[in-house]
Amino acid sequence: MKFYLFCIYIFILIANPLIGQKYKFIVWGDSQFQNPETFERIVHETELLKPDFVLHVGDMIHGYTYNVNAARKQWVKFRKQIEPLTVPFYPTPGNHDITTKEIQPTYLETWGEDKLYYSFDYLSNHFIVLNAFHNQNFDSVSMEQFSWLKKDLEKNKSSHNIFVTIHSPLHLNRGFDWSYVHNLLKQYPVRAVFTGHYHYYDYRKIDEIEYFCLNSSGNMKLYNSYIGYFHHFLQVSVDGNNIDYAVVGDGKIFSKDFVSVTERERAQKFFNENSTIILSSASPGKTELSYILENHSNEVINYSASWETEDYSWRFEPWGYNIILPPNEKKELRFKYELPKEIDKSNLPKLKIESPYTTSTGILTSAKHYANMFIPPTRTVKNVNAKITFDGNVEEKIWEESLIIDNLFVNKKMKHEIDKTRVSMFYDDENIYVGVFGSEPKPENLSAFAYGDIPLVFGDDDFELYFDTNRDMKTFFRLMVNPKGTVLSSSPKGRFTFNFDVKTFIGKDFWSAEFIIPFKELETSKPNIGDAWGFNVRRHRQQAEDIQSDWSKMANHPPYEPEYFGIIIFE
């Protein structure tokens, strides 16, 4: 009898080889050291779920550097982050991981020489990892790789399920024709394509292939799981030909299609990005401030606005508002407040603005954003008619007399940089002049490798200047230079759209730069006495433990935050 049952079992296995082909894997989205506590929590949650293996869709480190040692340190840091994982891990190269040809070898050192694009098998399933940045060609699938893909698919056409990862969601990219890749994939048993890069959740089904866009801990301007802006990972459960997907995040488990394709677009009119409320004075005493609340939607919205603070020596009158605002209208919210005698500028009150939001599927949630109180650092700039020896060396007396900044900060808790940065500035009828001095104990180790049509100067040692000439806290001019004098600049019109002169100098224990910037290139004229501009300075020092420092601390990674620039006032 036992032998008879055994024969039946063997017959069933032969007839249906998918029996016993049951497993699960986890897919992580972008991490790149943004919100590391969130990513590390996801690592621990993944380990608790005990998947058979983990896929990462790319952007594991910050990258964007030419410095090999800096990249190696980042990979050590990432490996430390995923150390709790006890199952196999399969990486996908993202733009942050292999930005430059100089650091690409560190990716291969970490994961293996064959890991730029590759494939592997698990049971009777096949997995393909593509590279959207092969040979530093961004957001594309190279012909070399496409040829390999065709051969790999044909070789594995008998697989029961095929899954693909690629960092960029090229199926959503209007600048790339994904159709020829998609048309190839649909000829084979490709079930899903996993992507990231855009820092939100997106799901759609095209010709029976399911496409996912994931974000595990990358920065976002908005945050609400019901509109796809939240940190999450994907659990994929495979049982033969049956495949189930669960989106895990915010302490909840969602179905794969819980956010419709149109929900995120619709929500843009109801959800606002965080903003700032600029305080003109930090002197103790009673004063007033206002905030403009706008309803960008086509519906009547009931808003609540209330102050949040950990320091209740702050006094606000009123403490909050309830406002019903018709479509496309705005209202000024006015508050009287009293500043405490002692102020912690790194932990100021914030105004929470909240309103109910019902998704297109009928789920009631809330649209919430904050207006963060901010006291910008302020300096005055002198009008001086003086000539400089334009050689990059800022040791002339005029630079000492026009010093406006003598220290930068590495975080929002106002921790000072170790090796000092000094910034001097003055102006005349035609130009604004800026001199930057950076202490550097080992100038022989300065990083200055940027090259190409878009040199990644911020990946080297560099000085960066930001000017918001009309103080709209949205548009600005950006100037960067590395020790070799390589420049990257941008304006509201795009990269390299305005002209200025800059020279650099490397000394015994420092390096410095002199900038001459015509007002006309900043699309303005000579400022009047009392005029104010938004301004900021950033420095990257690759030999430091804290590589990045700012005068007025803004986000460590783009998008930049002109609302957190300091202020320069022209004398």
Side-chain angles (χ1 to χ4, degrees):
M1 183 65 178
K2 289 182 179 179
F3 178 76
Y4 175 73
L5 292 174
F6 176 75
C7 290
I8 293 175
Y9 176 69
I10 295 298
F11 174 78
I12 292 173
L13 281 180
I14 294 172
N16 187 358
L18 294 183
I19 290 179
Q21 299 272 299
K22 188 174 183 179
Y23 68 99
K24 64 183 177 184
F25 62 94
I26 297 290
V27 189
W28 290 339
D30 298 42
S31 50
Q32 65 201 63
F33 305 140
Q34 296 173 355
N35 307 291
E37 67 290 339
T38 299
F39 180 63
E40 287 159 18
R41 188 197 72 235
I42 282 175
V43 172
H44 283 281
E45 289 176 350
T46 298
E47 176 61 20
L48 289 172
L49 289 170
K50 298 297 180 186
D52 291 275
F53 57 89
V54 172
L55 296 171
H56 196 305
V57 300
D59 276 8
M60 292 162 273
I61 64 171
H62 176 58
Y64 277 88
T65 181
Y66 303 90
N67 190 305
V68 172
N69 289 331
R72 284 195 180 109
K73 287 179 182 178
Q74 291 184 36
W75 284 119
V76 169
K77 181 178 178 180
F78 178 77
R79 293 296 292 259
K80 186 71 175 177
Q81 283 186 311
I82 67 169
E83 201 171 53
L85 206 61
T86 59
V87 298
F89 174 82
Y90 296 95
T92 305
N95 52 301
H96 283 261
D97 306 320
I98 56 170
T99 319
T100 63
K101 65 181 181 182
E102 285 78 9
I103 70 165
Q104 181 172 288
T106 67
Y107 175 89
L108 299 176
E109 287 172 12
T110 305
W111 304 115
E113 292 297 323
D114 62 341
K115 291 299 189 290
L116 280 180
Y117 56 89
Y118 61 100
S119 63
F120 65 94
D121 295 315
Y122 190 82
L123 300 178
S124 61
N125 291 233
H126 190 61
F127 292 80
I128 298 172
V129 177
L130 296 178
N131 184 347
F133 312 96
H134 189 225
N135 295 328
Q136 278 66 56
N137 293 313
F138 277 36
D139 293 327
S140 64
V141 176
S142 64
M143 286 299 102
E144 173 191 328
Q145 188 175 190
F146 185 66
S147 177
W148 170 86
L149 176 62
K150 288 193 290 186
K151 293 176 183 176
D152 189 77
L153 285 167
E154 184 63 23
K155 180 181 177 182
N156 294 280
K157 62 184 178 182
S158 61
S159 299
H160 290 108
N161 303 299
I162 297 177
F163 299 94
V164 177
T165 73
I166 183 170
H167 180 64
S168 293
L170 296 179
H171 62 290
L172 303 178
N173 188 334
R174 294 179 181 177
F176 179 79
D177 181 11
W178 175 254
S179 62
Y180 74 92
V181 182
H182 175 79
N183 289 336
L184 173 66
L185 297 180
K186 71 180 185 180
Q187 297 175 38
Y188 298 90
V190 175
R191 309 304 183 199
V193 176
F194 308 115
T195 72
H197 196 52
Y198 284 177
H199 290 204
Y200 56 63
Y201 177 78
D202 183 89
Y203 166 81
R204 57 192 72 198
K205 194 171 187 178
I206 307 173
D207 296 329
E208 301 306 312
I209 298 177
E210 300 186 274
Y211 283 86
F212 295 85
C213 182
L214 308 170
N215 179 30
S216 285
S217 63
N219 285 339
M220 296 170 289
K221 291 184 176 181
L222 306 175
Y223 199 96
N224 187 295
S225 56
Y226 293 105
I227 63 171
Y229 286 97
F230 72 121
H231 295 134
H232 56 274
F233 62 90
L234 185 70
Q235 177 174 281
V236 185
S237 301
V238 182
D239 186 358
N241 285 329
N242 296 318
I243 304 169
D244 292 316
Y245 301 94
V247 185
V248 184
D250 275 359
K252 305 180 185 73
I253 300 175
F254 302 94
S255 63
K256 62 187 177 185
D257 55 355
F258 79 103
V259 177
S260 69
V261 172
T262 58
E263 187 71 63
R264 196 173 54 255
E265 297 171 358
R266 172 178 176 263
Q268 300 295 325
K269 294 183 178 181
F270 294 85
F271 287 75
N272 294 289
E273 298 175 15
N274 289 344
S275 59
T276 56
I277 296 177
I278 305 294
L279 299 192
S280 57
S281 172
S283 301
K286 294 182 178 180
T287 185
E288 293 186 358
L289 62 80
S290 65
Y291 176 77
I292 304 297
L293 179 62
E294 296 185 64
N295 179 0
H296 299 286
S297 78
N298 56 0
E299 299 179 17
V300 175
I301 296 181
N302 188 353
Y303 292 96
S304 66
S306 59
W307 288 98
E308 291 186 354
T309 179
E310 296 177 6
D311 180 1
Y312 285 93
S313 58
W314 286 85
R315 294 287 184 268
F316 295 95
E317 185 183 332
W319 199 262
Y321 283 93
N322 285 310
I323 312 105
I324 297 176
L325 205 55
N328 299 306
E329 289 198 10
K330 62 179 68 175
K331 183 177 178 62
E332 182 180 22
L333 309 183
R334 301 190 64 83
F335 298 90
K336 294 180 180 180
Y337 69 98
E338 184 172 352
L339 275 76
K341 292 181 179 179
E342 295 184 4
I343 298 175
D344 179 1
K345 291 186 179 181
S346 67
N347 191 22
L348 295 171
K350 53 188 178 182
L351 184 65
K352 181 175 75 172
I353 299 98
E354 195 166 13
S355 61
Y357 176 78
T358 303
T359 69
S360 55
T361 56
I363 297 173
L364 178 62
T365 180
S366 64
K368 179 171 62 177
H369 70 281
Y370 288 93
N372 298 295
M373 189 177 281
F374 175 56
I375 303 174
T378 303
R379 299 290 187 272
T380 56
V381 180
K382 296 177 181 179
N383 186 353
V384 178
N385 287 314
K387 289 186 177 181
I388 61 171
T389 303
F390 189 49
D391 58 3
N393 192 342
V394 294
E395 292 186 321
E396 289 181 79
K397 189 175 181 181
I398 181 61
W399 293 120
E400 181 182 341
E401 293 173 344
S402 57
L403 179 70
I404 62 169
I405 297 168
D406 61 2
N407 211 334
L408 305 184
F409 302 95
V410 299
N411 59 32
K412 291 191 175 182
K413 293 189 178 296
M414 313 300 280
K415 176 186 174 183
H416 289 276
E417 61 183 352
I418 294 174
D419 293 285
K420 296 294 182 78
T421 305
R422 299 198 302 267
V423 182
S424 301
M425 186 183 298
F426 64 92
Y427 72 105
D428 60 21
D429 291 347
E430 302 291 333
N431 306 301
I432 189 164
Y433 301 81
V434 183
V436 187
F437 170 96
S439 176
E440 183 50 73
K442 296 181 179 180
E444 67 274 13
N445 293 333
L446 284 166
S447 176
F449 299 105
Y451 61 88
D453 294 337
I454 306 176
L456 305 179
V457 173
F458 51 83
D460 283 328
D461 285 274
D462 82 332
F463 299 137
E464 305 178 12
L465 308 180
Y466 298 80
F467 292 96
D468 177 4
T469 56
N470 57 14
R471 287 207 67 206
D472 64 0
M473 291 182 281
K474 294 180 181 178
T475 57
F476 55 90
F477 294 80
R478 177 181 65 161
L479 306 78
M480 302 180 179
V481 67
N482 72 8
K484 280 188 178 178
T486 306
V487 166
L488 176 63
S489 66
S490 64
S491 78
K493 294 181 179 178
R495 297 189 191 97
F496 300 112
T497 51
F498 67 104
N499 297 310
F500 59 94
D501 292 315
V502 60
K503 288 192 176 180
T504 59
F505 180 86
I506 300 175
K508 184 178 179 180
D509 57 1
F510 72 94
W511 77 283
S512 59
E514 293 178 311
F515 297 81
I516 302 176
I517 310 159
F519 289 122
K520 66 179 182 180
E521 294 294 332
L522 299 179
E523 300 180 8
T524 188
S525 56
K526 176 185 176 182
N528 295 315
I529 294 173
D531 282 356
W533 289 4
F535 175 70
N536 211 356
V537 180
R538 169 166 282 181
R539 179 186 180 186
H540 287 103
R541 183 172 174 266
Q542 298 297 335
Q543 298 176 63
E545 181 177 349
D546 296 306
I547 292 175
Q548 187 168 273
S549 54
D550 301 327
W551 174 46
S552 183
K553 196 63 192 163
M554 53 187 180
N556 287 335
H557 310 297
Y560 299 102
E561 297 176 315
E563 64 269 29
Y564 286 106
F565 287 2
I567 296 172
I568 51 174
I569 299 174
F570 293 89
E571 289 186 343

